[in-house]
Amino acid sequence: PPPPPPPPPPPPFFFPPHPANRDPLWSRGLGDVYKRQISTATNGADAVIMVKENNFQLILMDQFMPGQDGIQTIEEFNEIRPNLPVIMITKSEEEWLMDEAISQKISQFLIKPVSPSQIFMACKQVIENFKIREERITSGYLKEFKEIEESIRNNLDADEWWNIYNRLSKWQINFDEHKDIGLNNILSEQIHTCNREFVKFFQGNYSNWICNSDRPNLSVDVVPNFVIPKLKDDSKVCLIVIDALRNDQFLTILPELGQYFNVEVDYQMSLLPSATPFSRNAIFSGLFPDELCAKYPQQLELMKSDAPSLNKYESLFLEDQLKRNGLSSKKMIYKKINIADQGDRLLRNISDYRQTNLLSVVVNFVDMLAHKRAESDVLKEIVPDEAGYRLAIRTWFENSWLYSMLRELKENNFTVIITSDHGTVRVQRGVLVGADRETSSGVRYKYGRNLNSKEKNALIIRKPSDYRLPELVHQTNYLVAKDDVFFLYPNQQHRFEGKLKESFQHGGISMEEIMVPVVTMKGN
């Protein structure tokens, strides 16, 4: 008799969705649940029809089948259900097939022969990956919650506070990816608790730091400690100051940077008040605000008149700082970017700066987003909270001229240093302050005469020289808000309270405003 026909190729397997009622067998493994729930097809065309008619959760399939092959079938799956997971099991080890499979975003690629346990583990990784990660994140945070609660009762130093803030920032990002965990409120409350303790720490140490060299990095130390040494080693440096960039926001763009650069992350603390006229001018000048106003009377006049722009002389400040450090021969270029067109122009002309020793760029997008959000109902919908703020910044960065410019700088062998002048905090508690007509208009800090508030809500500075701050009016007082407080006048309380509550502000004392990253990047 003639030999029997060869057996047909093994059919693809289709795993339907996990039961909505969370069958308890699920937790014991995939086998018992899915033995009863496997659908099969003998070719790719039939498989496509079945996918149209059913809501399968996972597909196992070969590359070589009667009719259309596996890659063609996956392409049709993607037209119907773009996120349908596929595990390809094939005997082919050809690189072109692997490339095609990767381009089609298959979940796993297994090469025969494979054991049942290999298939089981691949299925488990695809189906239970998110659930397992959620469980690990939940248990990991609850463990760290206890550790952080215990550690903040101790006498922490600045590095330990940065470590705590960095850990909390990373948990915020983890929870962004796993919104159903249900621990966001607990994390928010813990950040609030840490902020209360951080305020005590910062207030107790700040006046000593500004008078001694033995201190954590402050705004005035950014250029001397991070930029000057690189310039003295004849490295080309690009200093980028992203106004109002918080640490958690930076962490959202860090994976993109890691594709092109070796990244070293340090930190610095903003000067008080944690606002652009004080902290950013300190970065570029290397001077405390009282020194700055004494050396540059024109800057003092800008601050006294509460001018629209209080950072007109940053290029001059930076040039003078280089001279004081014996680097007057270095070629320096300063650029401030307020709108996308300016950034695009800088990107187009970046080749003109290849031989520049120090390219300094100020980027105002993040700060502008915070201010515009308070004025726009549309932006409040797009950026409802910290998670929305992080997502908006990541989306902007991934599509920005800045991201493209960083890649160009890498190709031209620049060392890139990214930092901020201060962060922002989402304010919650409106507090009444007593003030006269000459008082400044800040939401998180004010200066004027006869300013009054409760000490639990604000740092009250009666003698500005103790905090290296200038006298801007006769007998100047400063109020600097603590934690999530914002200031209101009694006669305008109802007008502004609803408008300002839950807006992102800066100028006060909180981990988010004070502690900002300093990132040194070199092409990898």
Side-chain angles (χ1 to χ4, degrees):
F13 291 89
F14 297 82
F15 285 77
H18 179 261
N21 62 356
R22 296 285 181 182
D23 187 324
L25 287 174
W26 176 263
S27 61
R28 303 179 201 169
L30 301 173
D32 292 339
V33 177
Y34 287 112
K35 279 179 184 176
R36 304 187 301 273
Q37 303 181 60
I38 295 175
S39 300
T40 64
T42 58
N43 59 74
D46 289 348
V48 171
I49 293 172
M50 294 178 69
V51 167
K52 288 180 180 178
E53 297 175 349
N54 297 275
N55 188 24
F56 295 113
Q57 187 174 10
L58 174 63
I59 294 178
L60 281 75
M61 66 184 303
D62 203 336
Q63 163 65 4
F64 303 106
M65 300 181 293
Q68 63 190 44
D69 62 22
I71 293 298
Q72 292 173 306
T73 305
I74 293 172
E75 289 175 350
E76 294 192 37
F77 290 160
N78 288 338
E79 293 293 325
I80 304 166
R81 286 185 56 198
N83 297 319
L84 178 61
V86 176
I87 297 176
M88 178 171 281
I89 305 174
T90 180
K91 65 182 180 181
S92 174
E93 299 183 29
E94 295 184 54
E95 187 175 356
W96 73 266
L97 177 58
M98 297 179 188
D99 292 342
E100 284 292 323
I102 291 171
S103 70
Q104 295 298 328
K105 299 181 180 179
I106 69 163
S107 301
Q108 294 279 345
F109 188 95
L110 302 180
I111 298 176
K112 299 176 184 178
V114 290
S115 67
S117 61
Q118 286 177 286
I119 298 176
F120 174 80
M121 288 304 299
C123 295
K124 186 175 180 69
Q125 182 177 0
V126 173
I127 295 174
E128 291 196 328
N129 177 52
F130 197 79
K131 176 174 174 283
I132 291 171
R133 288 176 61 197
E134 280 193 344
E135 292 173 351
R136 293 294 184 270
I137 287 172
T138 300
S139 61
Y141 173 64
L142 293 177
K143 179 183 177 183
E144 283 210 23
F145 175 89
K146 296 177 182 178
E147 293 175 356
I148 291 172
E149 289 292 303
E150 292 174 1
S151 64
I152 62 176
R153 299 190 186 102
N154 301 324
N155 186 23
L156 303 180
D157 61 22
D159 289 346
E160 290 168 327
W161 270 112
W162 168 251
N163 179 53
I164 286 176
Y165 176 46
N166 205 32
R167 288 160 67 183
L168 293 171
S169 298
K170 290 177 179 177
W171 284 119
Q172 287 179 303
I173 294 170
N174 279 327
F175 288 1
D176 288 349
E177 299 175 6
H178 300 270
K179 297 183 183 298
D180 296 332
I181 287 179
L183 296 176
N184 280 295
N185 289 338
I186 295 175
L187 177 59
S188 296
E189 183 57 37
Q190 184 167 46
I191 291 173
H192 185 59
T193 300
C194 289
N195 262 328
R196 289 197 298 267
E197 296 303 316
F198 175 77
V199 167
K200 298 175 187 176
F201 160 78
F202 188 78
Q203 185 174 339
N205 289 277
Y206 183 75
S207 57
N208 290 326
W209 291 342
I210 59 179
C211 297
N212 294 285
S213 58
D214 184 15
R215 64 191 183 208
N217 290 314
L218 304 178
S219 303
V220 293
D221 301 315
V222 170
V223 171
N225 291 351
F226 294 94
V227 177
I228 298 295
K230 302 293 183 186
L231 292 175
K232 289 185 174 179
D233 287 342
D234 291 327
S235 297
K236 295 187 294 184
V237 178
C238 178
L239 171 64
I240 300 175
V241 180
I242 304 179
D243 194 357
L245 182 72
R246 290 173 20 159
N247 183 55
D248 58 318
Q249 296 161 356
F250 165 74
L251 290 175
T252 65
I253 66 176
L254 180 58
E256 299 295 331
L257 299 174
Q259 295 183 57
Y260 301 97
F261 294 93
N262 295 315
V263 181
E264 295 180 9
V265 181
D266 209 318
Y267 75 99
Q268 50 115 340
M269 293 198 178
S270 171
L271 296 187
L272 290 181
S274 54
T276 304
F278 302 91
S279 54
R280 201 166 88 196
N281 281 332
I283 290 175
F284 285 100
S285 68
L287 303 172
F288 288 98
D290 59 344
E291 297 175 303
L292 181 73
C293 290
K295 185 175 179 62
Y296 303 98
Q298 64 271 41
Q299 178 65 35
L300 178 61
E301 291 305 314
L302 287 178
M303 297 175 74
K304 282 184 175 181
S305 62
D306 201 16
S309 174
L310 299 175
N311 297 85
K312 292 176 61 175
Y313 303 111
E314 288 174 337
S315 178
L316 171 63
F317 296 161
L318 184 56
E319 185 178 350
D320 285 353
Q321 186 172 186
L322 294 181
K323 289 178 181 177
R324 292 199 307 271
N325 285 275
L327 297 171
S328 56
S329 62
K330 298 293 184 180
K331 182 180 180 182
M332 188 272 292
I333 300 292
Y334 168 89
K335 296 289 182 179
K336 183 186 293 185
I337 308 299
N338 292 316
I339 58 176
D341 284 349
Q342 295 171 337
D344 291 337
R345 194 178 309 121
L346 174 60
L347 176 60
R348 288 195 301 269
N349 298 327
I350 196 68
S351 59
D352 296 342
Y353 308 122
R354 288 175 181 169
Q355 303 306 316
T356 300
N357 301 112
L358 176 59
L359 174 61
S360 179
V361 182
V362 174
V363 183
N364 281 334
F365 172 80
V366 177
D367 184 53
M368 292 169 63
L369 178 60
H371 288 297
K372 294 298 182 182
R373 177 192 177 276
E375 304 167 1
S376 169
D377 290 336
V378 173
L379 283 178
K380 286 178 183 177
E381 290 283 342
I382 297 173
V383 186
D385 51 21
E386 284 89 345
Y389 205 170
R390 287 188 287 271
L391 178 59
I393 289 170
R394 185 178 71 190
T395 302
W396 160 74
F397 179 77
E398 289 173 349
N399 298 280
S400 70
W401 60 269
L402 177 59
Y403 192 19
S404 300
M405 188 185 81
L406 288 173
R407 297 196 293 270
E408 290 290 331
L409 292 172
K410 179 222 173 190
E411 295 301 320
N412 286 281
N413 202 33
F414 272 82
T415 297
V416 180
I417 297 170
I418 299 178
T419 190
S420 180
D421 45 1
H422 54 74
T424 60
V425 67
R426 188 157 62 132
V427 295
Q428 301 289 346
R429 295 179 292 144
V431 169
L432 298 179
V433 296
D436 59 26
R437 291 183 178 180
E438 294 185 16
T439 300
S440 65
S441 58
V443 175
R444 287 280 287 169
Y445 78 97
K446 291 186 179 296
Y447 57 84
R449 288 181 298 197
N450 303 317
L451 301 182
N452 291 295
S453 182
K454 294 182 179 179
E455 290 189 0
K456 68 176 182 179
N457 297 319
L459 170 63
I460 304 170
I461 300 175
R462 303 293 185 194
K463 191 176 179 183
S465 59
D466 289 345
Y467 288 82
R468 309 294 301 270
L469 292 170
E471 290 271 356
L472 298 176
V473 298
H474 180 60
Q475 296 180 338
T476 302
N477 299 159
Y478 287 83
L479 290 184
V480 182
K482 298 178 180 179
D483 198 4
D484 59 0
V485 162
F486 62 99
F487 295 137
L488 295 166
Y489 295 127
N491 60 342
Q492 296 178 320
Q493 177 180 359
H494 300 296
R495 177 185 173 190
F496 288 102
E497 187 163 18
K499 179 180 178 180
L500 292 173
K501 186 175 181 180
E502 297 196 353
S503 64
F504 291 93
Q505 303 291 340
H506 56 80
I509 307 174
S510 67
M511 294 185 298
E512 295 94 326
E513 292 165 289
I514 295 294
M515 291 191 288
V516 292
V518 183
V519 186
T520 303
M521 307 192 307
K522 188 71 177 175
N524 53 26

